[in-house]
């Protein structure tokens, strides 16, 4: 006998995997990945062309002794754009999915029927979350396969085992990140009786936690306020700059505090370190990266638990049955 | 087959509803086959048929919502395709299972449709209509607090506010309790008697047809298999005790 | 409400749309979100600017102490006060568009779910007028929200002396909001368009969101070669060099007519006086045309809309 949770999860998974919605989403994520990998490869090509031009100039100038380092190719670095898309767009899509998961059931006769079956509410909500988790994992697995194939095709170099492991780990983190947004918007949609209001608020919170706060380091950086950089235009030395910045430690702390309050920042730091997109972690072992980045992972997990918890908390019979046309 | 109900047709007046050779195909699948009907003004016409027979499609064509693939429809003498605006001015319509705008009050819902139907003196008309329906006092309540029966009355009010010549009701009794059904029947009879409205209703509630309608048509698999006045129908089938039995016999033998 | 004469159907539909938005609480939610976002952007802009000014003073002191005689003038003097609003560009570009999509989407889906679409279409007003009324209603609501944002920003510049704007800058700010409004109308229209066109509610919401992703991320990425996150910084955007290579230049040539996300950003950067470039009349035409085309497409979609198809589906 299968548990009711599994029955619901299976049904949720089967329903969604066959739906036009899932197929559209999967197709679109593949498109985004293709675009970002293409752009990365063309950027790299431009870099190589520039290098070759510089090299031939040097040769023409008969300065054969001069050495400029050739651009080095790291396949995982090609994924920066893809990860950024998962960060921004993945979160929006997870929000839309979470909203729709509740909106399609809320106040319908089917949900009334479900609630009269001898199934606990925990099993019901758990089943839905499990089903969606499987769906997101399927989508991520498809995407990872696609990435491995296309990067191999473009660069003519297959991923090494370690690289593949790093990629898989990054996608596992992505699952936690996306499910947080799914649960979060599902919880909001359960909480508010008015469906459009729930969706508007989900998008607004996405704006705050995915766009505003993580970008604050950039947008509030005094050096960024002047084209070409503030300090560069003042002709200060590096030492003088540090002395001056030290006087504004409170501002810097405030900026940093805002930044770390966003789940996206932790996800980004974790994945950028794992994939080596953040330069200092390039070619480092997984255990080294883990040793450094475990607080980000812990926070990501904690927020995931909070998201899932909120979905359970708000899924009361009253809220599920509240009709809202 | 042309099945005119000449008995009620008034001299020199075009029929309220005239359907000639209407065929409709949807996604390569023909859902209406060569439909012909002529309903004189002042009738209460019951359109019968099982689920999926094509009743709602027919009503959509008659109310200008859907363009038929072939054939011609005239309502109060106006062509539904070339004179659709004139048709719309003369019809009232209540779709099945309509819930209206929950966040608006009954008055606001009615005023919206009244204005869209070109009603002058909106307030007075709403007042008059609610009085006619014996439904005053709820104007300023939001629809989300209304029961199914109350919503249905708002639906009827909306459909008759502009005093249309022809009223289309799609399964109007669906979901109503016995008291609601009786009230609705009274309203339909009064609209017909006091305001001279022609009423065309889709239904599968045979007992109601017997009590309300003056003529009937039976649609089966997109074909009109029977159409005549109530009176003659009862004479034609003297052996059958109820309309239900007549209906079953028609569906199984395709009598015409 | 006194209604002694026949109201024009257009006005009736517009008024109805606005009333429904207000009753549902959608309008107040929108106004609240946008005002909060504006205040937040002003706060970020102001605190960054005043910190940078303080840093300039500290830099001058440090340089003087080091015996430097020639100190560069404050580089911020060359940056208009309007630049403190720069984050609003991204907020409008992204979340403004999403919210406009939700409003457009709901507008038709609400009618469909309450079963009144057949009823409305059987009224003498006709389908094009029904769409026109809806679009006008939605746009009036968006305009009011944008006006709210303008009022919030105008008030904040009046109350914070450091943010004083000249008359010309004030007009420029108004122009920025006008352009933002035009940009949002496009997304409201495609929200409505897919709401009408697709009977599956989920797809009807997802499809315009995908268009949004294409307009604000994919097209700019293909033509500039910038990563998605770099596309989120208005200052970077204003000064980013165009990506080199045959791929990017041909992508730019092919995609430029559809890149109205970039058109909006360029206009906004111009009016907030962040980008030094001249005013691009083509960009504003492209933006307005996008909105009109999307609106016209809604009318076309509703012509094709079949009430029975809805019931069969």
């Amino acid at each position: 006998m299968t548990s009711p949770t599994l029955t619901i999860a299976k049904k949720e998974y089967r329903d969604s995997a066959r739906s036009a919605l899932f197929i559209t989403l999967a197709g679109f994520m593949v498109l985004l990945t293709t675009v970002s990998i293409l752009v990365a490869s063309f950027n790299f090509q431009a870099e190589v062309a520039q290098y070759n031009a510089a090299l031939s100039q040097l040769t023409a100038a008969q300065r054969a002794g001069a050495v400029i380092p050739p651009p080095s190719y790291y396949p995982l670095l090609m994924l920066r754009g893809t990860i950024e898309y998962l960060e921004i767009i993945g979160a929006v899509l997870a929000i839309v999915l979470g909203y729709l998961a509740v909106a399609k059931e809320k106040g319908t006769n089917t949900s009334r029927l479900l609630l009269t079956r001898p199934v606990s509410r925990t099993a019901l909500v758990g089943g839905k979350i499990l089903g969606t988790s499987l769906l997101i994992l399927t989508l991520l697995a498809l995407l990872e396969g696609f990435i491995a194939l296309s990067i191999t095709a473009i660069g003519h170099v297959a991923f090494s085992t370690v690289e593949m492991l790093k990629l898989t780990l990054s996608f596992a983190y992505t699952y936690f990140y996306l499910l947080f947004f799914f649960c979060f918007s599902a919880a909001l949609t359960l909480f508010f009786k008015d469906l459009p209001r729930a969706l508007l608020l989900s998008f607004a919170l996405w704006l705050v936690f995915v766009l505003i706060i993580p970008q604050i380091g950039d947008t509030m950086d005094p050096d960024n306020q002047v084209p070409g950089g503030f300090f560069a235009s003042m002709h200060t030395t590096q030492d003088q700059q540090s002395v001056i910045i030290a006087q504004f430690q409170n501002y810097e702390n405030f900026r940093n505090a805002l930044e770390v309050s966003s789940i996206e920042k932790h996800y980004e730091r974790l994945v950028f370190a794992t994939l080596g997109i953040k330069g200092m972690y390039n070619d480092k072992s997984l255990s080294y990266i883990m040793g450094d980045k475990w607080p980000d992972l812990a926070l990501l997990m904690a927020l995931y638990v909070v998201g899932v918890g909120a979905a359970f908390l708000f899924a009361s019979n009253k809220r599920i049955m509240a009709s809202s046309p | 087959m042309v099945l005119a109900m000449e008995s009620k047709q008034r001299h020199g007046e075009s029929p309220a509803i005239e359907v000639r050779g209407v065929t409709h195909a949807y996604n390569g699948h023909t859902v209406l086959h060569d439909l012909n009907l002529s309903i004189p003004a002042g009738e209460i016409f019951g359109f019968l048929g099982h689920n999926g027979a094509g009743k709602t499609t027919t009503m959509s064509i008659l109310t200008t919502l859907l363009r038929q693939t072939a054939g011609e429809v005239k309502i109060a003498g106006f062509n539904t395709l070339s004179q659709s605006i004139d048709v719309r001015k003369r019809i009232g319509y209540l779709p099945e299972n309509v819930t209206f705008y929950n966040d608006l009050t009954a008055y606001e819902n009615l005023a919206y449709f009244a204005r869209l139907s070109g009603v002058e003196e909106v307030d007075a008309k709403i007042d008059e209509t609610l009085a006619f329906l014996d439904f005053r006092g709820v104007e300023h309540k939001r629809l989300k607090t209304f029961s199914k029966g109350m919503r249905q009355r708002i639906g009827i009010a909306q459909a008759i506010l502009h005093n249309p010549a022809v009223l289309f009701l799609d399964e109007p009794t669906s979901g109503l309790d016995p008291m609601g059904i009786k009230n609705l029947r009274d309203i339909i009879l009064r609209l017909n008697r006091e305001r001279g409205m022609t009423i065309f209703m889709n239904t599968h509630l045979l007992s109601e047809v017997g009590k309300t309608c003056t003529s009937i048509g039976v649609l089966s698999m997109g074909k009109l298999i029977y159409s005549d006045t109530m009176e003659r129908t009862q004479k034609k089938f003297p052996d059958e005790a109820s309309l239900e039995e007549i209906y079953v016999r028609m569906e199984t033998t395709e009598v015409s | 409400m006194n209604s002694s004469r026949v109201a024009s159907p257009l006005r009736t539909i517009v008024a109805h749309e606005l009333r429904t938005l207000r009753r549902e609480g959608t309008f107040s939610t929108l106004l609240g979100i946008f005002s909060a976002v504006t205040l937040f952007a002003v706060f970020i802009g102001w605190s960054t600017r005043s910190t940078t000014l303080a840093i300039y003073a500290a830099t001058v002191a440090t340089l003087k102490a080091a015996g430097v005689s020639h100190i560069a003038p404050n580089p911020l003097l060359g940056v208009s006060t309007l630049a403190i609003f720069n984050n609003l560009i991204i907020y409008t570009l992204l979340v403004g568009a999403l919210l406009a999509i939700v409003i457009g989407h709901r507008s038709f889906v609400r009618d469909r779910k309450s079963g009144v679409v057949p009823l409305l279409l059987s009224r003498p007003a006709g389908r094009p007028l029904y769409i026109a009324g809806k679009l006008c209603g939605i746009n009036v609501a968006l305009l009011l929200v944008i006006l709210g944002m303008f009022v919030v920003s105008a008030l904040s510049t009046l109350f914070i002396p450091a943010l004083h704007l000249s008359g010309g800058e004030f007009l420029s700010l108004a122009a920025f909001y006008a352009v933002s409004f035009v940009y949002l109308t496009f997304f409201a229209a495609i929200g409505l368009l897919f709401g009408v066109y697709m009977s599956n509610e989920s797809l009807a919401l997802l499809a315009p969101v995908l268009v949004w992703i294409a307009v604000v991320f994919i097209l700019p990425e293909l033509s500039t070669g910038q990563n998605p996150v770099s596309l989120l910084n208005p200052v970077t955007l204003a000064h980013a060099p165009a990506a080199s290579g045959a791929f990017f230049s041909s992508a730019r040539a092919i995609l430029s007519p559809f890149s109205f996300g970039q058109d909006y950003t360029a206009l906004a950067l111009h009016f907030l006086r962040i980008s030094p470039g001249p005013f691009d009349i083509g960009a504003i035409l492209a933006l307005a045309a996008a909105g009109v085309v999307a609106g016209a497409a809604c009318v076309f979609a509703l012509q094709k809309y079949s009430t029975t198809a809805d019931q069969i589906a």
Side-chain angles (χ1 to χ4, degrees):
Chain A
M1 203 181 92
T2 40
S3 80
T5 309
L6 271 181
T7 312
I8 295 166
K10 266 196 223 154
K11 185 244 164 209
E12 191 74 11
Y13 180 78
R14 224 179 307 128
D15 262 14
S16 311
R18 277 194 211 139
S19 71
L21 187 76
F22 177 74
I23 294 163
T24 315
L25 271 185
F28 201 77
M29 286 315 291
V30 166
L31 173 73
L32 283 179
T33 309
T34 312
V35 167
S36 58
I37 292 178
L38 261 183
V39 166
S41 69
F42 281 113
N43 274 333
F44 185 72
Q45 225 171 47
E47 219 178 298
V48 171
Q50 230 170 16
Y51 167 77
N52 285 338
L55 204 62
S56 59
Q57 253 177 5
L58 286 179
T59 320
Q62 314 248 302
R63 289 179 56 192
V67 182
I68 41 172
S72 43
Y73 176 72
Y74 291 103
L76 287 179
L77 292 197
M78 308 291 272
L79 296 179
R80 185 187 183 121
T82 309
I83 297 299
E84 290 186 358
Y85 271 133
L86 286 171
E87 243 176 85
I88 304 170
I89 306 302
V92 171
L93 297 179
I95 284 175
V96 172
L97 284 182
Y99 164 80
L100 290 172
V102 178
K104 77 173 179 200
E105 298 277 2
K106 213 174 173 181
T108 61
N109 290 334
T110 334
S111 69
R112 299 179 82 89
L113 191 63
L114 263 180
L115 292 172
T116 59
R117 298 301 89 216
V119 176
S120 72
R121 215 161 32 81
T122 319
L124 192 72
V125 180
K128 292 231 165 221
I129 292 179
L130 187 63
T132 309
S133 296
L134 289 175
L135 196 72
I136 292 180
L137 286 170
T138 308
L139 185 62
L140 290 174
L142 282 175
L143 217 55
E144 188 182 342
F146 177 75
I147 288 172
L149 283 178
S150 54
I151 298 248
T152 307
I154 290 174
H156 306 294
V157 193
F159 279 129
S160 69
T161 318
V162 177
E163 281 171 333
M164 208 56 211
L165 191 64
K166 283 181 172 177
L167 186 64
T168 307
L169 210 53
S170 302
F171 272 79
Y173 300 148
T174 307
Y175 156 74
F176 290 107
Y177 175 72
L178 294 182
L179 206 77
F180 164 78
F181 281 102
F182 173 86
C183 288
F184 164 82
S185 94
L188 267 182
T189 315
L190 280 166
F191 185 77
F192 287 101
K193 209 174 162 204
D194 291 317
L195 292 179
R197 181 176 290 188
L199 189 57
L200 290 175
L201 280 178
S202 301
F203 281 145
L205 288 170
W206 167 80
L207 171 79
V208 172
F209 287 105
V210 176
L211 294 179
I212 300 182
I213 292 179
Q215 297 308 310
I216 241 153
D218 225 15
T219 49
M220 285 182 82
D221 185 350
D223 204 34
N224 272 351
Q225 303 311 307
V226 175
F230 177 84
F231 288 110
S233 63
M234 294 301 296
H235 310 290
T236 51
T237 63
Q238 198 64 43
D239 291 340
Q240 286 169 333
Q241 200 175 315
S242 324
V243 171
I244 295 162
I245 296 273
Q247 298 172 36
F248 295 90
Q249 207 50 55
N250 284 342
Y251 181 78
E252 293 293 308
N253 289 343
F254 168 68
R255 204 155 64 102
N256 205 35
L258 269 181
E259 247 187 37
V260 296
S261 69
S262 158
I263 181 172
E264 195 225 26
K265 210 67 205 174
H266 298 288
Y267 165 75
E268 186 185 281
R269 285 177 183 172
L270 191 59
V271 175
F272 277 16
T274 308
L275 293 180
I277 292 169
K278 177 100 179 154
M280 60 182 286
Y281 294 101
N282 205 340
D283 276 344
K284 288 284 189 301
S285 75
L286 263 176
S287 54
Y288 174 86
I289 296 167
M290 270 308 200
D292 231 24
K293 286 293 165 196
W294 68 265
D296 290 310
L297 179 60
L299 252 157
L300 182 67
M301 294 311 228
L303 285 166
Y304 167 79
V305 172
V306 168
V308 173
F312 274 103
L313 194 67
F314 290 148
S316 66
N317 283 14
K318 200 178 125 207
R319 291 209 163 101
I320 295 171
M321 288 192 300
S323 64
S324 174
Chain B
M1 59 195 145
V2 180
L3 299 141
M5 277 150 287
E6 54 287 294
S7 65
K8 283 242 172 172
Q9 183 132 359
R10 280 168 251 171
H11 183 72
E13 219 176 80
S14 56
I17 299 170
E18 191 163 27
V19 179
R20 258 185 272 154
V22 166
T23 295
H24 189 72
Y26 176 77
N27 277 352
H29 173 71
T30 307
V31 287
L32 283 182
H33 302 264
D34 190 29
L35 191 66
N36 292 285
L37 254 182
S38 178
I39 303 172
E43 290 285 330
I44 302 179
F45 183 80
F47 202 37
L48 301 168
H50 55 80
N51 294 333
K55 298 193 302 286
T56 298
T57 302
T58 308
M59 191 171 275
S60 297
I61 291 170
L62 299 187
T63 50
T64 78
L65 293 174
L66 196 63
R67 299 173 76 88
Q68 65 270 28
T69 318
E72 189 189 41
V73 178
K74 279 186 176 171
I75 307 287
F78 293 97
N79 188 301
T80 49
L81 296 184
S82 57
Q83 297 165 298
S84 61
I85 301 295
D86 292 299
V87 170
R88 288 177 197 167
K89 281 181 186 159
R90 285 161 182 83
I91 62 170
Y93 176 36
L94 179 62
E96 192 184 355
N97 291 328
V98 60
T99 57
F100 297 103
Y101 299 102
N102 271 326
D103 284 311
L104 301 189
T105 63
Y107 171 85
E108 287 164 336
N109 269 290
L110 290 176
Y112 179 50
F113 290 103
R115 293 198 181 97
L116 288 180
S117 303
V119 168
E120 296 177 36
E121 310 283 351
V122 170
D123 289 355
K125 273 286 176 201
I126 290 177
D127 199 50
E128 181 197 315
T129 309
L130 290 180
F132 178 83
L133 297 173
D134 196 15
F135 201 42
R136 271 198 286 205
V138 297
E139 292 90 325
H140 300 292
K141 291 205 174 93
R142 291 201 193 185
L143 241 59
K144 60 170 94 167
T145 63
F146 278 30
S147 69
K148 170 95 190 170
M150 289 163 85
R151 272 168 209 269
Q152 195 70 344
R153 276 211 224 184
I154 291 298
I156 300 272
Q158 162 283 131
I160 61 171
L161 263 168
H162 52 294
N163 205 16
V166 186
L167 181 61
F168 290 93
L169 305 173
D170 197 355
E171 302 286 357
T173 50
S174 134
L176 293 185
D177 58 22
M179 203 55 205
I181 293 176
K182 187 193 171 299
N183 285 337
L184 184 74
R185 186 197 312 141
D186 293 343
I187 291 169
I188 291 173
L189 291 173
R190 279 178 59 212
L191 282 170
N192 179 255
R193 227 178 293 132
E194 295 170 23
R195 298 195 176 183
M197 271 181 210
T198 306
I199 294 157
F200 181 107
M201 63 175 181
N202 282 352
T203 181
H204 52 247
L205 213 62
L206 292 165
S207 55
E208 273 316 296
V209 174
K211 288 176 190 153
T212 329
C213 297
T214 53
S215 57
I216 60 165
V218 179
L219 195 66
S220 175
M221 317 265 275
K223 286 183 188 148
L224 189 69
I225 55 168
Y226 180 84
S227 176
D228 211 335
T229 64
M230 207 61 214
E231 211 181 309
R232 283 200 292 204
T233 303
Q234 273 151 356
K235 275 188 198 146
K236 250 187 217 170
F237 301 94
D239 302 339
E240 320 295 345
S242 70
L243 196 61
E244 188 181 76
E245 286 166 51
I246 298 176
Y247 179 71
V248 170
R249 221 183 107 191
M250 282 176 197
E251 279 275 5
T252 44
T253 56
E254 285 213 7
V255 183
S256 62
Chain C
M1 214 178 300
N2 188 16
S3 358
S4 56
R5 55 190 182 80
V6 187
S8 92
L10 186 70
R11 240 184 50 201
T12 304
I13 299 169
V14 173
H16 170 79
E17 198 65 29
L18 287 171
R19 181 180 296 129
T20 317
L21 283 173
R22 207 182 62 219
R23 275 307 153 71
E24 281 185 343
T26 310
F27 183 72
S28 53
T29 309
L30 267 185
L31 195 64
I33 291 174
F34 276 102
S35 305
V37 154
T38 310
L39 273 179
F40 193 73
V42 170
F43 168 73
I44 292 182
W46 166 76
S47 75
T48 310
R49 192 178 172 89
S50 48
T51 307
T52 313
L53 285 173
I55 289 178
Y56 175 73
T59 309
V60 171
T62 310
L63 289 175
K64 272 189 180 155
V68 178
S69 56
H70 181 73
I71 299 173
N74 187 349
L76 266 192
L77 291 179
V79 179
S80 163
T81 319
L82 279 176
I84 60 149
F85 294 108
N86 66 14
N87 285 305
L88 277 180
I89 301 174
I90 298 302
Y91 304 162
T92 312
L93 180 76
L94 299 172
V95 90
L98 278 179
L99 301 186
I101 285 175
V102 176
I103 305 291
H105 165 81
R106 277 289 302 174
S107 177
F108 189 78
V109 170
R110 182 197 305 123
D111 280 5
R112 191 207 294 270
K113 278 186 144 181
S114 58
V116 297
V117 176
L119 191 51
L120 286 165
L121 298 184
S122 76
R123 296 302 87 219
R127 297 184 184 206
L129 203 76
Y130 169 64
I131 289 292
K134 279 200 166 296
L135 283 173
C136 285
I138 294 166
N139 284 330
V140 169
L142 286 176
L143 190 65
L144 290 175
V145 170
I146 291 274
L147 271 177
M149 289 173 86
F150 180 64
V151 169
V152 170
S153 28
L155 285 179
S156 52
T157 61
L158 290 179
F159 285 109
I160 307 174
L163 300 184
H164 177 74
L165 296 182
S166 70
E169 283 174 323
F170 224 84
L171 276 180
S172 216
L173 184 64
F176 161 70
Y177 279 117
V179 166
S180 303
F181 168 68
V182 176
Y183 171 73
L184 294 186
T185 56
F186 166 74
F187 284 99
I190 61 160
L192 179 64
L193 173 65
F194 286 103
V196 174
Y197 189 69
M198 296 179 142
S199 50
N200 177 331
E201 189 186 341
S202 310
L203 281 180
L205 178 62
L206 191 68
V209 171
L210 298 184
V211 172
W212 164 83
I213 295 171
V215 167
V216 300
F217 287 103
I218 301 182
L219 298 186
E221 185 181 358
L222 282 176
S223 51
T224 63
Q226 297 273 341
N227 277 322
V229 167
S230 345
L231 295 170
L232 299 179
N233 189 333
V235 181
T236 318
L237 271 186
H239 303 281
S244 60
F247 171 78
F248 292 112
S249 52
S250 47
R252 256 197 302 281
I254 297 166
L255 300 175
S256 63
F258 309 103
S259 305
F260 29 85
Q262 278 171 293
D263 290 335
Y264 167 70
T265 320
L267 287 165
L269 287 168
H270 171 81
F271 286 122
L272 292 184
R273 307 199 176 166
I274 298 163
S275 162
F279 173 63
D280 183 2
I281 187 80
I284 190 117
L285 288 178
L287 264 192
V292 171
V293 169
C298 293
V299 176
F300 183 73
L302 192 65
Q303 291 297 348
K304 294 265 162 203
Y305 172 84
S306 153
T307 46
T308 43
D310 223 13
Q311 280 153 358
I312 290 165

